[in-house]
Amino acid sequence: MSRIIGLCLLSLVLLNSCFVSKKVVYVNDMVADSVHLIKEMPVLHVQKSDRLSILVNSKNPELVVPFNAVAGSYAVADNGEIKNTNSSSATGQSYLVDQQGQITFPLLGNLQIEGLSLEEVKNLIQDQLIEKKIVSDPIVKVEILNVKISVMGAVRSETVLNVPDGRITILEAITKAGGLMANAAADKVTVIREENGKRTRIINNITSQKLFESPTYYLRQNDIVYVEPRSAETTPKEERSWRILGTVLGSITLVLSVISIVK
């Protein structure tokens, strides 16, 4: 009788272990109070299908009208000066980088910008405007509007993140996706990255401080973060079945224990 009770208790322990979540500690090998140099965030480079906001300013506002979307209108004063009749300021126009890596910019035509940094795109447009004597003192501002990161796999909420300022780390992306599931393999967090017409797969261990040295610690536009599961996820039906089995075994163990005590 005692052997049967022991087997039932062992079965209960094994069943319960299936439902115990393993706690994941990020960068758990990082020594407390230690100093680590912060890796500089990589510069974003323009990719195909990026959408850019480009704003051109000048001391002479009438010269930059073709390049900007202006809220309001301009009026010509008696002395010939052109003034904005609305207090709203101009905003940058939106440009989609085509599959040839180009945008079509007013008066400048097609500009090849794929692979350039935002600073290089800014300098290219400024130099072209000056060289072609369109605007003598252009001030150009360039931003990427559609920085998106996909997070999928063993996270609580698979999602596509919009990153307006273009700055996000792999840990922030996982946090925004609700964190890791109980069966997530924290040492196998993959980032799939498109670069120079190729896709690369980089595996990260987010429990190690080596994560900070990873080229994918700072994410870029169109990155895919995939958290690998340690095992196939249990369906709700399977989980109910296991819990019912555990309840039955628990009841049997209790009955046998009572019988054993009475005897």
Side-chain angles (χ1 to χ4, degrees), residues 46 49-57 67-69 90-97 103 105-106 113 117-119 121-122 125 139-147 164:
V46 177
S49 300
D50 279 350
R51 186 168 290 279
L52 306 181
S53 168
I54 302 178
L55 174 65
V56 182
N57 283 315
F67 313 112
N68 302 325
T91 58
Q93 289 196 34
S94 174
Y95 300 88
L96 181 66
V97 182
I103 60 170
F105 199 76
I113 62 171
S117 67
L118 300 185
E119 183 73 15
V121 174
K122 181 194 78 171
I125 295 173
I139 300 174
V140 179
K141 181 181 179 182
V142 183
E143 296 178 335
I144 299 179
L145 296 176
N146 62 336
V147 177

Side-chain angles (χ1 to χ4, degrees), residues 85-105:
T85 59
N86 193 300
S87 58
S88 300
S89 59
T91 58
Q93 289 196 34
S94 174
Y95 300 88
L96 181 66
V97 182
D98 63 23
Q99 294 307 301
Q100 285 70 49
Q102 300 179 343
I103 60 170
T104 302
F105 199 76

Side-chain angles (χ1 to χ4, degrees), residues 6-258:
L7 289 174
C8 290
L9 289 173
L10 179 60
S11 300
L12 281 174
V13 170
L14 291 175
L15 280 173
N16 287 331
S17 66
C18 296
F19 300 103
V20 175
S21 300
K22 293 183 179 179
K23 185 177 180 181
V24 176
V25 180
Y26 297 164
V27 294
N28 60 9
D29 59 351
M30 190 173 184
V31 180
D33 300 323
S34 59
V35 177
H36 298 265
L37 294 177
I38 297 176
K39 189 175 182 180
E40 186 176 351
M41 180 179 174
V43 175
L44 289 180
H45 290 78
V46 177
Q47 300 179 5
K48 294 173 183 175
S49 300
D50 279 350
R51 186 168 290 279
L52 306 181
S53 168
I54 302 178
L55 174 65
V56 182
N57 283 315
S58 170
K59 291 180 180 178
N60 299 315
E62 69 275 11
L63 297 179
V64 297
V65 170
F67 313 112
N68 302 325
V70 182
S73 58
Y74 285 96
V76 181
D78 293 337
N79 60 0
E81 182 181 359
I82 299 178
K83 295 183 178 181
N84 191 344
T85 59
N86 193 300
S87 58
S88 300
S89 59
T91 58
Q93 289 196 34
S94 174
Y95 300 88
L96 181 66
V97 182
D98 63 23
Q99 294 307 301
Q100 285 70 49
Q102 300 179 343
I103 60 170
T104 302
F105 199 76
L107 303 183
L108 298 182
N110 293 335
L111 299 177
Q112 186 70 38
I113 62 171
E114 182 185 7
L116 299 183
S117 67
L118 300 185
E119 183 73 15
E120 290 171 334
V121 174
K122 181 194 78 171
N123 292 336
L124 172 65
I125 295 173
Q126 286 183 169
D127 293 344
Q128 289 279 313
L129 291 174
I130 294 172
E131 181 182 333
K132 295 186 177 183
K133 299 181 179 180
I134 299 173
V135 183
S136 60
D137 60 343
I139 300 174
V140 179
K141 181 181 179 182
V142 183
E143 296 178 335
I144 299 179
L145 296 176
N146 62 336
V147 177
K148 293 184 178 180
I149 308 295
S150 300
V151 188
M152 49 200 304
V155 291
R156 298 191 181 280
S157 178
E158 293 185 329
T159 184
V160 177
L161 302 174
N162 291 304
V163 189
D165 60 359
R167 183 191 184 283
I168 188 170
T169 68
I170 189 171
L171 295 179
E172 290 172 328
I174 292 173
T175 300
K176 289 179 180 292
L180 300 180
M181 297 287 284
N183 68 331
D187 58 342
K188 293 181 181 179
V189 179
T190 298
V191 175
I192 300 172
R193 173 166 290 174
E194 296 180 4
E195 195 171 25
N196 300 323
K198 299 178 181 179
R199 287 190 181 92
T200 56
R201 178 173 178 259
I202 301 171
I203 299 177
N204 300 279
N205 180 1
I206 63 174
T207 67
S208 171
Q209 63 179 350
K210 291 182 180 179
L211 174 68
F212 297 126
E213 302 302 322
S214 170
T216 56
Y217 175 69
Y218 288 105
L219 299 174
R220 301 180 188 174
Q221 70 269 41
N222 305 320
D223 278 354
I224 298 173
V225 179
Y226 174 71
V227 181
E228 186 175 324
R230 293 193 182 277
S231 58
E233 188 175 352
T234 305
T235 65
K237 183 178 179 180
E238 291 172 335
E239 187 172 340
R240 283 196 302 270
S241 298
W242 282 108
R243 292 193 182 279
I244 291 172
L245 179 59
T247 302
V248 171
L249 281 174
S251 301
I252 293 173
T253 303
L254 178 61
V255 171
L256 291 175
S257 299
V258 171

